[in-house]
């Protein structure tokens, strides 16, 4: 173990992120403890996905500092490839490599990055496929899998690198409703096994049942956070209450005559346009 | 009398067939078949062209084409990566090269490589002799076209692929090489095949470099035979020889595309 056990898995201090003139994150202070499962919720455009992508440095923060397992990600000289080996990332659109079989999706980074031999990499890959219930799909290509199977394969791909921290960016938002359960089950099992997880999600039931802590974001700031029963059950802030009522009871809100605050749009609408190969 | 819709359709179709048959019949009757056969299909001349047209001419055409294609593919990929580089001067150089060589006739470039360079550097020789000169001369032009195709292919790979590879700890270079470029090439197989077919035909330009009996390719061979026999049959045979290359090529590519379709 190279990490200092006393340091949290993720530490974020006064994080700002702008895209041009658009300020997406306006001063985030945030931590994820070792072994903790944190769910980040909030309306579309609240900056929750950007926050998650900053942790893995897929987005370059405009200001502020981020540490992952004690390593400062925002240090310009950070060995980013080395740090990312310890961080798993699961995308909304899966991003499996379509030209490789499922098994090779799981072995390619093990072999190219960790320099594992073929036999060892395949052994670890198959163990992780079993973990997500896809033992029989090892030789299939991603296009031959359902969305739920693809996402589980993507989770297994991340796990094959044996990360200490898993980041999930709306992992079930691109899935048909009946396929969401399988993916959430895999994630719940992962949480029970003690994995440190940061999950951006719209699945309130998952947040309530699995998260150690729920963070509500709106307008680029953390509005409130705490145990799920507090944030989801007895929210202190008006904005949290408004969001939860829109998500949990969308038809009712519409009747109150607030069409401009329409309920969180169906999540599939947020799919980036460049994902056509995966869908 | 007013025709109903189906009757009108049948009538129209019937007329079109009639015109077609009339034209074919006119050609069949009017053409002087004996003279045509004598000019284009002299069996003795066809026989005399074998086996040289296969063992030498067709073989050389294929070699020149593959040489130019390989050179163009490697160089074109490098140019494409330069076009996408973060280093601005690389982008400038690649853009300038592509614009320049797309604007020059392949024949002129071939002259430059075959005669210009030997005049400028008489003490050095282009490796591979005629083969090397043709591969480079045609490859330089092909690279400019292929670079743009490959660049488009790389950009057509979704951004999420690079992101996923990077989050697994791959360097930009490794991600490019193992994830992005293999997918880009699947995307550009059809346009690259076009380039290969164009090169097959452009290899006929080799004659300007003064090919010998050993380095002769299909078109020059056909033309030499034409002069020798004062008969057009060799041109027909040469034309068929090109089809022997290009038609199976289209088939192979169709197969490749089908195979890759399931891994897309």
């Amino acid at each position: 173990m190279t990490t200092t056990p006393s340091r949290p898995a993720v530490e974020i201090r006064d994080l700002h992120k702008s895209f041009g003139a658009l300020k997406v994150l306006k001063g985030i202070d945030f931590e994820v403890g070792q072994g903790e499962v944190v769910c980040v919720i909030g309306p579309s455009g609240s900056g929750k996905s950007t926050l998650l992508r900053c942790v893995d440095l897929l987005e370059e923060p405009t200001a502020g500092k981020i540490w992952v397992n004690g390593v400062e990600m925002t240090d310009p000289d950070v060995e980013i490839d080395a740090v990312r080996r310890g961080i798993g990332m699961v995308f909304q659109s899966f991003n499996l490599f379509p030209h490789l079989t499922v098994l090779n999706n799981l072995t390619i980074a093990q072999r190219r990055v960790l320099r594992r031999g073929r036999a060892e990499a395949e052994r670890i890959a198959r163990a992780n496929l079993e973990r997500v219930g896809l033992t029989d799909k090892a030789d299939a290509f991603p296009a031959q899998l359902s969305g739920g199977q693809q996402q589980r394969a993507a989770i297994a791909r991340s796990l094959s690198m044996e990360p200490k921290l898993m980041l999930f960016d709306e992992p079930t938002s691109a899935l048909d409703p009946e396929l969401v359960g399988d993916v959430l089950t895999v994630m719940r099992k992962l949480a029970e096994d003690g994995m440190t997880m940061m999950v951006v999600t719209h699945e309130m039931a998952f947040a309530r049942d699995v998260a150690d802590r729920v963070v509500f974001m709106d307008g680029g700031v953390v509005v409130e956070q705490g145990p799920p029963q507090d944030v989801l059950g007895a929210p202190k802030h008006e904005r949290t209450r408004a969001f939860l009522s829109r998500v949990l009871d969308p038809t009712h809100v519409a009747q109150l005559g607030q069409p401009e605050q329409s309920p969180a749009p169906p999540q599939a609408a947020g799919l980036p346009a460049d994902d056509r190969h995966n869908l | 009398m007013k025709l109903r819709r189906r009757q009108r359709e049948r009538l129209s179709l019937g007329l079109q067939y009639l015109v077609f048959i009339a034209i074919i019949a006119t050609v069949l009757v009017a053409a002087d078949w004996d003279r045509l056969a004598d000019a284009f299909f002299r069996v003795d001349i066809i026989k005399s062209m074998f086996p040289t047209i296969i063992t030498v001419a067709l073989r050389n055409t294929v070699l020149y084409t593959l040489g130019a294609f390989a050179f163009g593919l490697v160089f074109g990929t490098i140019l494409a990566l330069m076009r996408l580089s973060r280093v601005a001067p690389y982008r400038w150089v690649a853009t300038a090269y592509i614009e320049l060589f797309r604007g020059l006739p392949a024949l002129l470039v071939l002259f430059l490589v075959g005669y210009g360079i030997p005049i400028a550097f008489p003490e050095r020789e282009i490796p591979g002799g005629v083969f090397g000169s043709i591969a480079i001369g045609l490859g330089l032009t092909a690279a400019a076209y292929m670079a743009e195709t490959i660049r488009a292919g790389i950009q057509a790979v979704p951004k999420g692929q690079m992101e996923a590879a990077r989050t697994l700890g791959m360097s930009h270079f490794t991600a490019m090489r193992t994830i992005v470029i293999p997918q880009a090439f699947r995307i550009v197989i059809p346009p690259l095949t076009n380039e290969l077919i164009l090169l097959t035909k452009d290899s006929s330009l080799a004659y300007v470099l003064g090919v010998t009996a050993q380095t002769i390719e299909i078109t020059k061979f056909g033309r030499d035979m034409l002069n020798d026999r004062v008969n057009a049959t060799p041109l027909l045979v040469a034309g068929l020889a090109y089809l022997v290359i290009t038609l199976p090529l289209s088939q192979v590519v169709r197969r490749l595309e089908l195979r890759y379709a399931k891994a897309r």
Side-chain angles (χ1 to χ4, degrees):
Chain A
M1 287 287 278
T2 51
T3 50
T4 332
S6 56
R7 303 252 349 220
V10 180
E11 277 177 277
I12 297 173
R13 292 287 163 259
D14 197 29
L15 182 70
H16 290 258
K17 172 67 186 174
S18 307
F19 293 102
L22 182 68
K23 291 195 173 96
V24 178
L25 299 178
K26 303 167 186 168
I28 305 273
D29 288 281
F30 179 79
E31 280 179 14
V32 179
Q34 298 287 352
E36 199 182 13
V37 177
V38 175
C39 282
V40 183
I41 62 170
S44 297
S46 59
K48 51 195 191 313
S49 280
T50 306
L51 173 66
L52 190 83
R53 289 167 59 83
C54 279
V55 173
D56 210 3
L57 228 62
L58 286 175
E59 304 291 352
E60 196 88 34
T62 311
K65 284 190 191 302
I66 300 171
W67 292 264
V68 173
N69 292 321
V71 179
E72 190 192 332
M73 301 295 280
T74 37
D75 178 351
D77 286 328
V78 68
E79 292 294 343
I80 186 66
D81 297 336
V83 188
R84 279 179 176 151
R85 278 173 224 162
I87 309 173
M89 178 86 172
V90 176
F91 299 87
Q92 181 178 355
S93 50
F94 329 135
N95 292 342
L96 287 175
F97 306 133
H99 62 303
L100 301 176
T101 61
V102 168
L103 188 68
N104 286 337
N105 262 278
L106 270 64
T107 56
I108 189 157
Q110 293 188 61
R111 301 195 61 204
R112 305 279 174 169
V113 177
L114 303 178
R115 301 276 159 211
R116 284 177 183 153
R118 177 183 290 278
E120 191 194 3
E122 288 191 357
R123 184 176 55 74
I124 293 168
R126 286 185 194 282
N128 280 299
L129 281 179
E130 196 186 331
R131 225 170 145 181
V132 301
L134 288 177
T135 326
D136 54 332
K137 298 292 181 187
D139 298 318
F141 282 96
Q144 297 166 321
L145 304 186
S146 73
Q149 290 170 334
Q150 288 193 46
Q151 191 60 296
R152 285 185 278 148
I155 293 172
R157 177 175 69 177
S158 285
L159 292 177
S160 296
M161 300 297 284
E162 292 165 354
K164 297 191 196 70
L165 164 70
M166 287 286 286
L167 307 174
F168 293 84
D169 187 4
E170 302 196 22
T172 58
S173 294
L175 299 178
D176 289 337
E178 78 271 22
L179 302 175
V180 168
D182 292 345
V183 172
L184 292 182
T185 305
V186 165
M187 290 170 63
R188 177 197 289 266
K189 241 171 41 188
L190 206 54
E192 284 163 2
D193 291 347
M195 176 63 76
T196 310
M197 292 162 65
M198 181 172 166
V199 185
V200 169
T201 186
H202 289 285
E203 298 293 337
M204 294 303 146
F206 178 81
R208 187 187 60 223
D209 296 348
V210 180
D212 297 312
R213 183 153 51 95
V214 172
V215 176
F216 174 67
M217 281 181 70
D218 193 13
V221 294
V222 172
V223 175
E224 84 174 276
Q225 54 176 311
Q229 61 270 25
D230 293 359
V231 176
L232 300 176
K236 290 192 200 66
H237 285 75
E238 178 51 38
R239 277 198 278 178
T240 319
R241 277 197 289 273
F243 170 74
L244 288 174
S245 69
R246 282 204 303 278
V247 171
L248 300 176
D249 195 6
T251 48
H252 193 184
V253 173
Q255 280 167 358
L256 291 178
Q258 301 172 332
E260 75 280 5
Q261 281 186 308
S262 57
Q267 286 99 25
L271 270 182
D274 61 4
D275 287 315
R276 58 195 180 284
H277 287 308
N278 295 317
L279 296 174
Chain B
M1 183 190 75
K2 196 154 161 36
L3 294 174
R4 270 177 293 173
R5 193 175 67 90
R6 276 196 304 177
Q7 286 174 315
R8 284 202 308 273
E9 258 172 27
R10 233 174 280 157
L11 189 68
S12 157
L13 205 60
L15 278 174
Q16 292 181 54
Y17 272 108
L18 208 65
V19 169
F20 177 76
I21 290 165
I23 292 173
I24 297 293
T26 313
V27 169
L28 285 177
V29 172
D32 188 338
W33 287 106
D34 290 341
R35 277 176 68 176
L36 277 178
D38 192 48
F40 285 101
F41 204 80
R42 284 260 302 276
V43 177
D44 59 315
I45 295 181
I46 293 175
K47 274 186 182 157
S48 74
M49 291 177 78
F50 284 85
T52 321
I53 187 155
I54 302 294
T55 56
V56 180
L58 186 129
R59 177 177 156 273
N60 282 334
T61 291
V62 169
L63 280 180
Y64 297 158
T65 305
L66 289 181
F69 188 76
F71 183 88
L73 191 64
V74 172
F75 191 33
T77 305
I78 294 170
L79 283 170
L81 293 175
M82 284 171 72
R83 277 282 308 239
L84 297 169
S85 168
R86 283 168 56 195
V87 184
Y90 282 163
R91 293 201 300 271
W92 301 334
V93 169
T95 308
Y97 179 91
I98 291 164
E99 291 302 329
L100 180 69
F101 276 80
R102 280 201 304 192
L104 297 179
L107 189 57
L108 184 84
V109 178
L110 203 56
F111 273 131
L112 272 174
V113 172
Y115 298 110
I117 291 177
I119 290 170
F121 306 100
E123 72 284 358
R124 308 203 59 173
E125 226 173 72
I126 291 176
V130 178
F131 171 76
S133 301
I134 293 168
I136 294 171
L138 293 177
L140 285 172
T141 307
Y145 285 98
M146 287 158 130
E148 283 297 87
T149 305
I150 294 165
R151 178 187 60 82
I154 291 172
Q155 287 178 324
V157 176
K159 239 180 75 193
Q161 292 292 308
M162 175 58 92
E163 285 186 351
R166 294 304 303 272
T167 58
L168 290 168
M170 289 189 198
S171 65
H172 181 87
F173 178 79
T174 306
M176 250 328 194
R177 199 169 52 85
T178 62
I179 304 301
V180 177
I181 290 182
Q183 291 182 55
F185 273 103
R186 282 163 170 73
I187 296 171
V188 298
I189 282 174
L192 283 189
T193 316
N194 259 339
E195 191 57 40
L196 187 57
I197 290 173
L198 288 176
L199 275 173
T200 306
K201 296 182 292 180
D202 279 354
S203 67
S204 63
L205 296 173
Y207 78 91
V208 301
L209 298 184
V211 295
T212 64
Q214 277 77 50
T215 60
I216 201 163
E217 45 64 59
I218 295 172
T219 299
K220 173 81 166 116
F221 180 69
R223 206 185 68 161
D224 284 358
M225 292 289 288
L226 170 87
N227 290 344
D228 192 41
R229 303 299 186 88
V230 200
N231 187 282
T233 305
L235 297 185
L236 186 87
V237 178
L240 290 175
Y242 278 107
L243 294 184
V244 166
I245 301 173
T246 52
L247 292 183
L249 203 59
S250 307
Q251 275 303 318
V252 168
V253 171
R254 212 161 295 154
R255 292 257 170 85
L256 270 182
E257 277 186 72
L258 278 180
R259 219 184 71 190
Y260 286 149
K262 84 172 171 177
R264 274 279 280 283

